[in-house]
C-alpha cells in the first residue's frame, strides 16, 4: 500500500519543483552551486542569467517528458540544464540537436572569426540509458574525442546524471556533489534536515522547497505539477504491464501446440518487438540480459 502522508518538501522531479529550486532568479545561487560541482575550475560560475527556453525550440511533446533551463554565465558560457522525467526516443539525438541552438546564436553579423564560447548540456535523468544497463557509474561526462581518446574539442560538453544509479546512503556521502544528488533524490521524503546536510546552501534549499511556505496559487500549481508527474509515471508503468500481458497472451495463443521453451522464446521475441528495454524483459521473464541481447541481435 502506498504511503499517502503529506510531504513537507516538494518533489524536485516535477516541473514546478525543478523550477522552484533551480529556475527562479531569487534562487539562482542554488543552481550556481550545483553546476559548479560539475564544471572544471576554469569554467566556475560567479553569476548567471536565465534565457528564454523558447530559444531551444521546445514543443508540446518535449514538455510532457522534460523541463529545461537555459542560462548564461558572466563570461558568456551557455548552459542547458534539464530534467528528463521519462525516456524519450532518440534522446541523445535530441540532446545534440538542442546543443546547436546556443552554438548558432553566437554567430555575429559581418566579419567573424568563429570563436565560440563553451556550451554545456547537463541532464538529470529519472531513468537509465538502455545501452548503459550494465554500467555502474551514474555520471557521464562526454566530449568530442579523436581515435586515440584525446580531446579534439573541449567547448561542447554533455553531462548526463542517471539518478536511479545514485544509491549512496547518507553516511556514504563524501563530496558536496554527493550531497546535492542525495538531496535531489530524497527531498520529497525528508521530514527534517539531516545533520549531514546542515550546510548553509542546503538549509536555504530546504527553505525554498518547504511546501508550507507556498501561497495558494503556488500550492495549486505544485499540486497540478505533482499530479501530472504521478500520472505520467502511472501511464508508463501501466503501458509496460499491459503490453507485456498482451505479448504473453498472444504467445500463449500461438504456442498451444509448442513446447515450453519455444513458447518462452516467442514471448521474449514479442516483447523485443514491442520495444521493451533489455533490462525490463530480463526482469519480467526471469532470464539473463545476455539471453535477451542474443535474441535481439540475432
Amino acid at each position: 500500500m502506498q504511503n499517502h502522508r503529506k510531504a513537507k518538501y516538494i518533489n524536485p522531479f516535477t516541473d514546478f519543483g525543478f523550477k522552484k529550486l533551480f529556475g527562479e532568479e531569487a534562487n539562482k545561487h542554488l543552481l550556481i552551486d550545483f553546476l559548479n560541482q560539475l564544471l572544471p575550475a576554469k569554467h566556475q560560475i560567479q553569476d548567471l542569467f536565465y534565457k528564454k527556453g523558447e530559444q531551444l525550440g521546445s514543443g508540446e511533446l518535449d514538455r510532457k517528458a522534460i523541463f529545461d533551463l537555459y542560462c548564461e554565465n558572466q563570461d558568456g558560457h551557455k548552459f542547458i540544464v534539464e530534467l528528463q522525467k521519462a525516456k524519450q526516443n532518440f534522446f541523445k539525438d535530441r540532446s545534440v540537436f538542442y546543443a546547436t541552438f546556443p552554438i548558432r546564436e553566437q554567430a555575429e553579423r559581418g566579419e567573424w572569426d568563429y570563436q565560440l564560447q563553451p556550451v554545456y548540456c547537463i541532464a538529470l535523468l529519472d531513468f537509465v540509458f538502455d545501452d548503459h544497463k550494465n554500467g555502474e557509474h551514474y555520471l557521464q561526462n562526454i566530449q568530442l574525442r579523436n581515435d586515440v581518446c584525446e580531446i579534439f574539442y573541449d567547448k561542447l560538453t554533455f553531462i548526463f546524471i542517471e539518478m536511479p544509479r545514485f544509491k549512496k546512503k547518507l553516511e556514504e556521502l563524501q563530496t558536496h556533489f554527493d550531497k546535492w544528488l542525495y538531496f535531489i533524490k530524497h527531498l520529497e521524503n525528508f521530514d527534517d534536515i539531516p545533520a549531514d546536510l546542515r550546510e548553509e546552501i542546503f538549509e536555504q534549499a530546504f527553505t525554498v522547497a518547504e511546501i508550507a511556505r507556498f501561497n495558494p496559487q503556488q500550492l495549486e500549481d505544485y499540486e497540478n505539477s505533482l499530479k501530472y508527474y504521478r500520472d505520467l509515471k502511472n501511464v508508463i508503468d501501466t503501458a509496460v504491464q499491459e503490453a507485456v500481458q498482451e505479448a504473453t497472451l498472444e504467445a500463449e495463443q500461438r504456442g498451444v501446440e509448442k513446447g515450453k521453451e519455444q513458447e518462452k522464446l516467442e514471448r521474449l521475441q514479442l516483447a523485443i518487438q514491442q520495444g521493451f528495454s533489455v533490462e525490463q524483459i530480463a526482469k519480467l521473464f526471469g532470464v539473463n540480459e545476455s539471453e535477451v541481447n542474443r535474441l535481439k541481435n540475432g
Side-chain angles (χ1 to χ4, degrees):
M1 183 179 294
Q2 289 184 337
N3 183 3
H4 292 290
R5 69 173 179 80
K6 280 286 187 179
K8 182 176 181 179
Y9 300 106
I10 56 176
N11 182 328
F13 289 95
T14 62
D15 288 355
F16 181 95
F18 186 67
K19 183 178 180 180
K20 186 67 179 174
L21 281 172
F22 295 126
E24 293 186 351
E25 183 71 24
N27 304 326
K28 67 181 180 181
H29 62 291
L30 301 178
L31 179 60
I32 292 172
D33 189 84
F34 175 71
L35 291 180
N36 279 342
Q37 310 312 307
L38 294 163
L39 301 176
K42 63 180 179 180
H43 289 164
Q44 290 289 289
I45 303 170
Q46 298 299 320
D47 196 7
L48 58 76
F49 317 94
Y50 293 105
K51 300 171 72 69
K52 291 184 178 180
E54 292 80 12
Q55 295 183 41
L56 299 179
S58 302
E60 182 60 27
L61 290 177
D62 279 341
R63 292 269 70 82
K64 292 181 178 180
I66 191 171
F67 185 81
D68 53 50
L69 302 171
Y70 181 27
C71 47
E72 178 178 325
N73 77 348
Q74 71 281 357
D75 298 319
H77 304 168
K78 319 290 182 178
F79 301 88
I80 298 173
V81 186
E82 61 186 31
L83 172 73
Q84 184 78 13
K85 300 189 292 289
K87 195 172 298 183
Q88 204 175 23
N89 290 334
F90 308 111
F91 172 69
K92 293 179 183 178
D93 300 70
R94 177 196 168 284
S95 297
V96 173
F97 176 71
Y98 262 31
T100 65
F101 287 85
I103 291 174
R104 290 182 61 85
E105 77 167 15
Q106 297 183 55
E108 299 178 6
R109 292 182 178 275
E111 293 294 327
W112 177 46
D113 61 6
Y114 291 94
Q115 183 176 4
L116 296 170
Q117 293 289 347
V119 172
Y120 285 89
C121 298
I122 300 166
L124 278 164
L125 309 180
D126 200 16
F127 63 89
V128 174
F129 286 120
D130 285 337
D131 57 358
H132 192 223
K133 291 293 185 183
N134 296 322
E136 297 181 355
H137 301 294
Y138 51 83
L139 178 64
Q140 293 195 56
N141 197 310
I142 301 149
Q143 290 183 317
L144 187 61
R145 296 173 181 269
N146 61 20
D147 56 353
V148 292
C149 287
E150 296 172 336
I151 295 178
F152 172 76
Y153 188 72
D154 66 353
K155 290 185 179 181
L156 177 59
T157 305
F158 295 93
I159 301 175
F160 297 132
I161 307 167
E162 296 170 279
M163 291 300 294
R165 288 198 182 282
F166 182 79
K167 299 177 181 179
K168 290 186 178 182
K169 299 177 181 179
L170 191 59
E171 62 271 17
E172 297 174 329
L173 306 181
Q174 297 179 339
T175 67
H176 194 66
F177 182 56
D178 283 348
K179 293 179 180 180
W180 263 118
L181 295 190
Y182 190 89
F183 169 85
I184 292 169
K185 185 167 185 175
H186 299 285
L187 176 59
E188 187 183 25
N189 299 317
F190 287 127
D191 292 318
D192 297 294
I193 304 176
D196 299 74
L197 297 182
R198 283 204 171 274
E199 299 176 16
E200 183 177 0
I201 193 69
F202 293 114
E203 290 182 344
Q204 292 173 353
F206 274 108
T207 299
V208 169
E210 191 171 352
I211 297 173
R213 295 176 178 270
F214 294 172
N215 61 40
Q217 184 61 56
Q218 289 174 322
L219 185 59
E220 181 181 351
D221 291 344
Y222 174 59
E223 290 293 342
N224 290 335
S225 183
L226 184 62
K227 181 179 183 301
Y228 186 86
Y229 170 77
R230 289 172 174 169
D231 287 347
L232 179 63
K233 289 189 71 70
N234 287 337
V235 166
I236 294 171
D237 293 342
T238 301
V240 169
Q241 294 172 2
E242 291 179 349
V244 169
Q245 291 171 358
E246 182 180 345
T248 301
L249 178 60
E250 184 177 346
E252 288 175 348
Q253 292 172 342
R254 294 174 55 190
V256 173
E257 302 300 327
K258 298 180 180 180
K260 292 183 178 180
E261 287 300 318
Q262 182 63 28
E263 182 178 342
K264 180 179 178 180
L265 178 63
E266 289 199 357
R267 292 182 186 181
L268 287 169
Q269 290 173 333
L270 282 170
I272 291 171
Q273 292 170 7
Q274 290 283 342
F276 297 117
S277 71
V278 171
E279 185 179 52
Q280 289 172 334
I281 296 172
K283 286 183 178 179
L284 289 167
F285 290 91
V287 298
N288 293 326
E289 292 186 13
S290 59
E291 183 178 350
V292 181
N293 279 319
R294 179 176 58 79
L295 290 173
K296 189 174 182 181
N297 299 326

